[in-house]
Amino acid sequence: MSLTPFFDFWHNPIMSDNSVSNSNHLLGQSTSITLLQGIRNREPQHWERFVRLYSPLVYEWCRRAKVAQQDAADVTQEVFKAVAIKVDNFHRDRKGDTFRGWLWGITRFKILDHFRVRHHVQWSPAVRPLSIGGTS
């Protein structure tokens, strides 16, 4: 299996091919200020709308990053939990800052967390890396 499609996706997650997806309705649109304020204020109707709009996109990003179908929903849920905790940290400070880009950053880290946990290796004492200072 070639990793080229994975790495191409990893650096450019927005679908550029002609495939039809559940998240295509979000391409080229910015996230509304009202929706952002609503999720920051923990308003249930805004959270429902946010999840309805963005869960297909996050799920698709997970699948395109080779997260197994049975795990993609769990990773998507972890993304939304992180958004709930960190949404107040999102700011459009620089030109080009987008909520979708911020959401992709969270998704990317949750995907990496998923693969770290999935492929976790227990170090045996004989092969444990040295800690700083040269001690074990």
Side-chain angles (χ1 to χ4, degrees), residues 23-44:
S23 58
N24 275 346
H25 66 282
L26 293 173
L27 295 177
Q29 296 180 10
S30 63
T31 305
S32 84
I33 300 296
T34 305
L35 181 60
L36 284 175
Q37 276 308 118
I39 63 175
R40 282 183 171 137
N41 293 335
R42 314 296 194 251
E43 296 173 8

PDB file of all heavy atoms in Angstrom, residues 23-44:
ATOM      1  N   SER A  23     -19.989  16.178   3.282  1.00  0.00           N
ATOM      2  CA  SER A  23     -19.470  17.445   3.798  1.00  0.00           C
ATOM      3  C   SER A  23     -19.229  18.476   2.706  1.00  0.00           C
ATOM      4  O   SER A  23     -18.786  19.568   2.996  1.00  0.00           O
ATOM      5  CB  SER A  23     -18.180  17.189   4.570  1.00  0.00           C
ATOM      6  OG  SER A  23     -17.246  16.558   3.738  1.00  0.00           O
ATOM      7  N   ASN A  24     -19.523  18.160   1.459  1.00  0.00           N
ATOM      8  CA  ASN A  24     -19.279  19.116   0.383  1.00  0.00           C
ATOM      9  C   ASN A  24     -20.066  20.413   0.575  1.00  0.00           C
ATOM     10  O   ASN A  24     -19.654  21.450   0.080  1.00  0.00           O
ATOM     11  CB  ASN A  24     -19.629  18.521  -0.978  1.00  0.00           C
ATOM     12  CG  ASN A  24     -18.491  17.714  -1.551  1.00  0.00           C
ATOM     13  OD1 ASN A  24     -17.373  17.784  -1.082  1.00  0.00           O
ATOM     14  ND2 ASN A  24     -18.794  16.933  -2.555  1.00  0.00           N
ATOM     15  N   HIS A  25     -21.173  20.360   1.292  1.00  0.00           N
ATOM     16  CA  HIS A  25     -21.952  21.577   1.500  1.00  0.00           C
ATOM     17  C   HIS A  25     -21.187  22.609   2.319  1.00  0.00           C
ATOM     18  O   HIS A  25     -21.556  23.771   2.340  1.00  0.00           O
ATOM     19  CB  HIS A  25     -23.289  21.248   2.171  1.00  0.00           C
ATOM     20  CG  HIS A  25     -23.143  20.729   3.563  1.00  0.00           C
ATOM     21  ND1 HIS A  25     -22.775  19.432   3.841  1.00  0.00           N
ATOM     22  CD2 HIS A  25     -23.285  21.349   4.753  1.00  0.00           C
ATOM     23  CE1 HIS A  25     -22.725  19.266   5.145  1.00  0.00           C
ATOM     24  NE2 HIS A  25     -23.024  20.414   5.723  1.00  0.00           N
ATOM     25  N   LEU A  26     -20.100  22.216   2.979  1.00  0.00           N
ATOM     26  CA  LEU A  26     -19.320  23.152   3.788  1.00  0.00           C
ATOM     27  C   LEU A  26     -18.171  23.785   3.029  1.00  0.00           C
ATOM     28  O   LEU A  26     -17.594  24.755   3.492  1.00  0.00           O
ATOM     29  CB  LEU A  26     -18.748  22.429   5.017  1.00  0.00           C
ATOM     30  CG  LEU A  26     -19.776  21.975   6.040  1.00  0.00           C
ATOM     31  CD1 LEU A  26     -19.104  21.129   7.108  1.00  0.00           C
ATOM     32  CD2 LEU A  26     -20.473  23.162   6.665  1.00  0.00           C
ATOM     33  N   LEU A  27     -17.819  23.221   1.881  1.00  0.00           N
ATOM     34  CA  LEU A  27     -16.673  23.743   1.144  1.00  0.00           C
ATOM     35  C   LEU A  27     -16.944  25.158   0.664  1.00  0.00           C
ATOM     36  O   LEU A  27     -17.988  25.453   0.119  1.00  0.00           O
ATOM     37  CB  LEU A  27     -16.322  22.836  -0.029  1.00  0.00           C
ATOM     38  CG  LEU A  27     -15.852  21.440   0.348  1.00  0.00           C
ATOM     39  CD1 LEU A  27     -15.613  20.602  -0.895  1.00  0.00           C
ATOM     40  CD2 LEU A  27     -14.593  21.500   1.195  1.00  0.00           C
ATOM     41  N   GLY A  28     -15.995  26.031   0.904  1.00  0.00           N
ATOM     42  CA  GLY A  28     -16.106  27.402   0.441  1.00  0.00           C
ATOM     43  C   GLY A  28     -16.977  28.281   1.311  1.00  0.00           C
ATOM     44  O   GLY A  28     -17.218  29.431   0.982  1.00  0.00           O
ATOM     45  N   GLN A  29     -17.458  27.765   2.428  1.00  0.00           N
ATOM     46  CA  GLN A  29     -18.296  28.565   3.316  1.00  0.00           C
ATOM     47  C   GLN A  29     -17.539  28.825   4.605  1.00  0.00           C
ATOM     48  O   GLN A  29     -16.783  27.996   5.078  1.00  0.00           O
ATOM     49  CB  GLN A  29     -19.585  27.816   3.652  1.00  0.00           C
ATOM     50  CG  GLN A  29     -20.475  27.559   2.465  1.00  0.00           C
ATOM     51  CD  GLN A  29     -21.728  26.812   2.887  1.00  0.00           C
ATOM     52  OE1 GLN A  29     -22.010  26.661   4.064  1.00  0.00           O
ATOM     53  NE2 GLN A  29     -22.463  26.349   1.909  1.00  0.00           N
ATOM     54  N   SER A  30     -17.759  30.002   5.175  1.00  0.00           N
ATOM     55  CA  SER A  30     -17.141  30.265   6.468  1.00  0.00           C
ATOM     56  C   SER A  30     -18.154  29.935   7.562  1.00  0.00           C
ATOM     57  O   SER A  30     -19.356  29.933   7.340  1.00  0.00           O
ATOM     58  CB  SER A  30     -16.685  31.716   6.569  1.00  0.00           C
ATOM     59  OG  SER A  30     -17.797  32.577   6.494  1.00  0.00           O
ATOM     60  N   THR A  31     -17.643  29.645   8.731  1.00  0.00           N
ATOM     61  CA  THR A  31     -18.490  29.312   9.874  1.00  0.00           C
ATOM     62  C   THR A  31     -19.125  30.595  10.391  1.00  0.00           C
ATOM     63  O   THR A  31     -18.447  31.604  10.572  1.00  0.00           O
ATOM     64  CB  THR A  31     -17.648  28.655  10.971  1.00  0.00           C
ATOM     65  OG1 THR A  31     -16.977  27.534  10.404  1.00  0.00           O
ATOM     66  CG2 THR A  31     -18.513  28.199  12.129  1.00  0.00           C
ATOM     67  N   SER A  32     -20.427  30.552  10.624  1.00  0.00           N
ATOM     68  CA  SER A  32     -21.124  31.773  11.027  1.00  0.00           C
ATOM     69  C   SER A  32     -20.707  32.212  12.429  1.00  0.00           C
ATOM     70  O   SER A  32     -20.445  31.392  13.311  1.00  0.00           O
ATOM     71  CB  SER A  32     -22.639  31.576  10.970  1.00  0.00           C
ATOM     72  OG  SER A  32     -23.128  30.969  12.143  1.00  0.00           O
ATOM     73  N   ILE A  33     -20.648  33.523  12.600  1.00  0.00           N
ATOM     74  CA  ILE A  33     -20.317  34.114  13.900  1.00  0.00           C
ATOM     75  C   ILE A  33     -21.369  33.711  14.925  1.00  0.00           C
ATOM     76  O   ILE A  33     -21.037  33.410  16.068  1.00  0.00           O
ATOM     77  CB  ILE A  33     -20.242  35.662  13.782  1.00  0.00           C
ATOM     78  CG1 ILE A  33     -19.177  36.077  12.766  1.00  0.00           C
ATOM     79  CG2 ILE A  33     -19.999  36.297  15.139  1.00  0.00           C
ATOM     80  CD1 ILE A  33     -17.776  35.695  13.127  1.00  0.00           C
ATOM     81  N   THR A  34     -22.625  33.665  14.506  1.00  0.00           N
ATOM     82  CA  THR A  34     -23.712  33.287  15.406  1.00  0.00           C
ATOM     83  C   THR A  34     -23.523  31.864  15.927  1.00  0.00           C
ATOM     84  O   THR A  34     -23.701  31.599  17.116  1.00  0.00           O
ATOM     85  CB  THR A  34     -25.078  33.393  14.690  1.00  0.00           C
ATOM     86  OG1 THR A  34     -25.207  34.709  14.166  1.00  0.00           O
ATOM     87  CG2 THR A  34     -26.222  33.078  15.617  1.00  0.00           C
ATOM     88  N   LEU A  35     -23.141  30.957  15.031  1.00  0.00           N
ATOM     89  CA  LEU A  35     -22.909  29.564  15.431  1.00  0.00           C
ATOM     90  C   LEU A  35     -21.734  29.493  16.405  1.00  0.00           C
ATOM     91  O   LEU A  35     -21.814  28.821  17.439  1.00  0.00           O
ATOM     92  CB  LEU A  35     -22.648  28.683  14.208  1.00  0.00           C
ATOM     93  CG  LEU A  35     -22.406  27.201  14.488  1.00  0.00           C
ATOM     94  CD1 LEU A  35     -23.605  26.574  15.192  1.00  0.00           C
ATOM     95  CD2 LEU A  35     -22.102  26.471  13.191  1.00  0.00           C
ATOM     96  N   LEU A  36     -20.647  30.195  16.106  1.00  0.00           N
ATOM     97  CA  LEU A  36     -19.485  30.186  17.000  1.00  0.00           C
ATOM     98  C   LEU A  36     -19.840  30.741  18.382  1.00  0.00           C
ATOM     99  O   LEU A  36     -19.458  30.170  19.402  1.00  0.00           O
ATOM    100  CB  LEU A  36     -18.340  30.988  16.397  1.00  0.00           C
ATOM    101  CG  LEU A  36     -17.579  30.313  15.264  1.00  0.00           C
ATOM    102  CD1 LEU A  36     -16.551  31.268  14.662  1.00  0.00           C
ATOM    103  CD2 LEU A  36     -16.902  29.050  15.743  1.00  0.00           C
ATOM    104  N   GLN A  37     -20.561  31.845  18.407  1.00  0.00           N
ATOM    105  CA  GLN A  37     -20.969  32.423  19.689  1.00  0.00           C
ATOM    106  C   GLN A  37     -21.866  31.458  20.449  1.00  0.00           C
ATOM    107  O   GLN A  37     -21.743  31.316  21.662  1.00  0.00           O
ATOM    108  CB  GLN A  37     -21.670  33.766  19.487  1.00  0.00           C
ATOM    109  CG  GLN A  37     -20.732  34.934  19.352  1.00  0.00           C
ATOM    110  CD  GLN A  37     -19.722  35.006  20.475  1.00  0.00           C
ATOM    111  OE1 GLN A  37     -18.534  34.905  20.224  1.00  0.00           O
ATOM    112  NE2 GLN A  37     -20.136  35.162  21.713  1.00  0.00           N
ATOM    113  N   GLY A  38     -22.773  30.795  19.728  1.00  0.00           N
ATOM    114  CA  GLY A  38     -23.682  29.841  20.365  1.00  0.00           C
ATOM    115  C   GLY A  38     -22.958  28.665  20.990  1.00  0.00           C
ATOM    116  O   GLY A  38     -23.278  28.246  22.103  1.00  0.00           O
ATOM    117  N   ILE A  39     -21.941  28.141  20.286  1.00  0.00           N
ATOM    118  CA  ILE A  39     -21.224  27.009  20.886  1.00  0.00           C
ATOM    119  C   ILE A  39     -20.310  27.486  22.019  1.00  0.00           C
ATOM    120  O   ILE A  39     -20.126  26.774  22.990  1.00  0.00           O
ATOM    121  CB  ILE A  39     -20.486  26.132  19.850  1.00  0.00           C
ATOM    122  CG1 ILE A  39     -19.399  26.872  19.105  1.00  0.00           C
ATOM    123  CG2 ILE A  39     -21.465  25.501  18.896  1.00  0.00           C
ATOM    124  CD1 ILE A  39     -18.583  26.009  18.166  1.00  0.00           C
ATOM    125  N   ARG A  40     -19.796  28.704  21.906  1.00  0.00           N
ATOM    126  CA  ARG A  40     -19.016  29.256  23.020  1.00  0.00           C
ATOM    127  C   ARG A  40     -19.889  29.459  24.256  1.00  0.00           C
ATOM    128  O   ARG A  40     -19.427  29.303  25.379  1.00  0.00           O
ATOM    129  CB  ARG A  40     -18.384  30.586  22.621  1.00  0.00           C
ATOM    130  CG  ARG A  40     -17.163  30.435  21.764  1.00  0.00           C
ATOM    131  CD  ARG A  40     -16.526  31.771  21.463  1.00  0.00           C
ATOM    132  NE  ARG A  40     -15.244  31.591  20.826  1.00  0.00           N
ATOM    133  CZ  ARG A  40     -14.830  32.298  19.789  1.00  0.00           C
ATOM    134  NH1 ARG A  40     -15.575  33.258  19.283  1.00  0.00           N
ATOM    135  NH2 ARG A  40     -13.648  32.053  19.264  1.00  0.00           N
ATOM    136  N   ASN A  41     -21.145  29.814  24.038  1.00  0.00           N
ATOM    137  CA  ASN A  41     -22.085  30.035  25.141  1.00  0.00           C
ATOM    138  C   ASN A  41     -22.759  28.751  25.605  1.00  0.00           C
ATOM    139  O   ASN A  41     -23.643  28.783  26.446  1.00  0.00           O
ATOM    140  CB  ASN A  41     -23.148  31.059  24.735  1.00  0.00           C
ATOM    141  CG  ASN A  41     -22.561  32.431  24.530  1.00  0.00           C
ATOM    142  OD1 ASN A  41     -21.519  32.777  25.089  1.00  0.00           O
ATOM    143  ND2 ASN A  41     -23.220  33.234  23.709  1.00  0.00           N
ATOM    144  N   ARG A  42     -22.353  27.620  25.006  1.00  0.00           N
ATOM    145  CA  ARG A  42     -22.879  26.295  25.372  1.00  0.00           C
ATOM    146  C   ARG A  42     -24.391  26.190  25.161  1.00  0.00           C
ATOM    147  O   ARG A  42     -25.085  25.531  25.928  1.00  0.00           O
ATOM    148  CB  ARG A  42     -22.540  25.929  26.823  1.00  0.00           C
ATOM    149  CG  ARG A  42     -21.113  26.171  27.279  1.00  0.00           C
ATOM    150  CD  ARG A  42     -20.130  25.302  26.514  1.00  0.00           C
ATOM    151  NE  ARG A  42     -18.816  25.265  27.131  1.00  0.00           N
ATOM    152  CZ  ARG A  42     -17.734  25.862  26.621  1.00  0.00           C
ATOM    153  NH1 ARG A  42     -17.807  26.551  25.528  1.00  0.00           N
ATOM    154  NH2 ARG A  42     -16.578  25.752  27.226  1.00  0.00           N
ATOM    155  N   GLU A  43     -24.886  26.825  24.112  1.00  0.00           N
ATOM    156  CA  GLU A  43     -26.314  26.792  23.806  1.00  0.00           C
ATOM    157  C   GLU A  43     -26.630  25.501  23.038  1.00  0.00           C
ATOM    158  O   GLU A  43     -26.068  25.270  21.963  1.00  0.00           O
ATOM    159  CB  GLU A  43     -26.712  28.019  22.998  1.00  0.00           C
ATOM    160  CG  GLU A  43     -26.521  29.306  23.783  1.00  0.00           C
ATOM    161  CD  GLU A  43     -26.748  30.561  22.958  1.00  0.00           C
ATOM    162  OE1 GLU A  43     -27.213  30.462  21.796  1.00  0.00           O
ATOM    163  OE2 GLU A  43     -26.437  31.647  23.471  1.00  0.00           O
ATOM    164  N   PRO A  44     -27.524  24.667  23.591  1.00  0.00           N
ATOM    165  CA  PRO A  44     -27.782  23.346  23.009  1.00  0.00           C
ATOM    166  C   PRO A  44     -28.183  23.374  21.535  1.00  0.00           C
ATOM    167  O   PRO A  44     -27.719  22.541  20.750  1.00  0.00           O
ATOM    168  CB  PRO A  44     -28.916  22.774  23.866  1.00  0.00           C
ATOM    169  CG  PRO A  44     -28.795  23.493  25.168  1.00  0.00           C
ATOM    170  CD  PRO A  44     -28.273  24.870  24.828  1.00  0.00           C
TER     171      PRO A  44
END
